[in-house]
């Protein structure tokens, strides 16, 4: 199957700093990628849809100025958590697929963000 | 709109006994349905998927699921639980006609396996 690589897998940062998470499709091109967030013992919630060459679409309640998404190429989307706070600590995971007619999604390994 | 309901937040079985994790879905379109497993502090692994082919779907590690349109269900089963099956399981739905739509996750079912 297709491979999605996410980096870093784990990051600890200080409050007020910014953190960038990368999501790469290694063997296919992805015009669309999705970013999810998972709080402890909860399910995955969609944060935003990342569209290559255009603005991301954010879900209700997700601050677009805090969670900056850039999808500058067909194989790379980045999520930057700006001015991080402890409540942003979570597991962030991206997904993509060869689509649009292939409905299987492939997930990155996830990024465990801890803000201290 | 699409949604998924996982009927049990926690299921506990003895090793060697059958596993049943229940999932009901709601979809305005023909759905694609998936089951993913997540081990502690790990990413997601696809167990199996239904994409409008055979209604009985066989996946990895002995798991299978049956798509029942009349019951809007996609329950996950395994004949004999193994200790390594202990994990969080997510039932997921997506519009079958588009791979550019996001997946909708159920709340998850935590499977415990007792020795």
């Amino acid at each position: 199957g297709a491979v999605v690589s996410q980096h870093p897998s784990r990051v600890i940062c200080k409050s007020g700093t910014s953190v960038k998470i990368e999501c790469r499709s290694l063997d296919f091109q992805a015009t669309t990628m999705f970013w999810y967030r998972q709080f402890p013992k909860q399910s995955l919630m969609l944060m935003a849809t990342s569209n290559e060459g255009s603005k991301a679409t954010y879900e209700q309640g997700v601050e677009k100025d805090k969670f900056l998404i850039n999808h500058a190429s067909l194989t790379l989307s980045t999520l930057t958590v700006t001015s991080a706070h402890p409540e942003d600590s979570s597991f962030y995971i991206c997904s993509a697929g060869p689509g649009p007619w292939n409905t299987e999604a492939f997930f990155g390994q996830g990024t465990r963000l801890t803000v201290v | 709109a699409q949604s998924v309901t996982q009927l049990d937040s926690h299921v506990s079985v003895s090793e060697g006994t059958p596993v049943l994790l229940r999932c009901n879905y709601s979809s305005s379109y023909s759905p694609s349905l998936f089951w993913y497993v997540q081990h502690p502090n790990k990413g997601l692994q696809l167990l199996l998927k239904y994409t409008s082919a055979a209604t009985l779907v066989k996946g990895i590690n002995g798991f299978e699921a049956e798509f029942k349109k009349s019951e809007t269900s996609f329950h996950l089963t395994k004949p004999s639980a193994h200790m390594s099956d202990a994990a969080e399981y997510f039932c997921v739905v997506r519009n079958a006609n588009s791979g550019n739509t996001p997946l909708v996750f159920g709340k998850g079912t935590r499977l415990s396996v007792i020795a």
Side-chain angles (χ1 to χ4, degrees):
Chain A
V3 179
V4 174
S5 177
Q6 188 173 338
H7 177 81
S9 59
R10 187 179 295 268
V11 59
I12 301 173
C13 70
K14 293 184 178 180
S15 290
T17 61
S18 295
V19 173
K20 180 184 285 188
I21 303 169
E22 293 187 345
C23 180
R24 294 181 185 273
S25 55
L26 297 186
D27 51 2
F28 65 96
Q29 293 182 330
T31 56
T32 304
M33 292 185 176
F34 303 98
W35 287 96
Y36 298 85
R37 179 169 55 187
Q38 183 182 31
F39 290 108
K41 299 187 185 301
Q42 295 188 26
S43 188
L44 282 77
M45 298 299 294
L46 179 68
M47 297 176 66
T49 302
S50 172
N51 303 297
E52 187 270 334
S54 64
K55 291 182 179 181
T57 305
Y58 290 83
E59 295 300 298
Q60 190 174 9
V62 178
E63 299 175 59
K64 62 180 181 180
D65 295 329
K66 181 170 186 60
F67 298 100
L68 300 179
I69 291 173
N70 185 285
H71 195 155
S73 79
L74 287 170
T75 58
L76 174 64
S77 175
T78 60
L79 169 67
T80 301
V81 183
T82 62
S83 187
H85 288 112
E87 56 264 33
D88 297 325
S89 299
S90 188
F91 187 67
Y92 294 86
I93 191 164
C94 67
S95 80
W101 304 117
N102 182 334
T103 59
E104 183 171 346
F106 298 91
F107 287 87
Q109 302 93 320
T111 298
R112 173 74 58 193
L113 171 63
T114 303
V115 184
V116 298
Chain B
Q2 297 172 307
S3 67
V4 170
T5 302
Q6 291 185 242
L7 297 161
D8 306 292
S9 60
H10 182 211
V11 170
S12 183
V13 300
S14 298
E15 189 176 22
T17 64
V19 175
L20 170 64
L21 304 184
R22 298 182 294 167
C23 172
N24 286 99
Y25 70 92
S26 173
S27 178
S28 303
Y29 307 95
S30 294
S32 287
L33 291 157
F34 310 83
W35 276 98
Y36 285 89
V37 61
Q38 185 180 35
H39 288 91
N41 298 311
K42 299 287 187 181
L44 294 164
Q45 181 181 20
L46 178 67
L47 283 177
L48 49 80
K49 61 180 178 179
Y50 165 78
T51 54
S52 75
T55 56
L56 182 61
V57 181
K58 293 187 183 298
I60 62 171
N61 300 336
F63 285 95
E64 63 181 41
E66 185 171 8
F67 174 72
K68 292 187 176 180
K69 186 175 181 179
S70 61
E71 298 176 10
T72 61
S73 69
F74 190 58
H75 301 334
L76 181 70
T77 60
K78 182 174 180 177
S80 176
H82 192 273
M83 295 297 289
S84 60
D85 295 327
E88 190 83 18
Y89 291 79
F90 294 100
C91 183
V92 180
V93 66
R94 189 180 214 179
N95 180 353
N97 296 318
S98 175
N100 282 347
T101 55
L103 295 97
V104 177
F105 284 77
K107 292 186 181 296
T109 298
R110 182 164 60 91
L111 175 64
S112 297
V113 182
I114 303 167

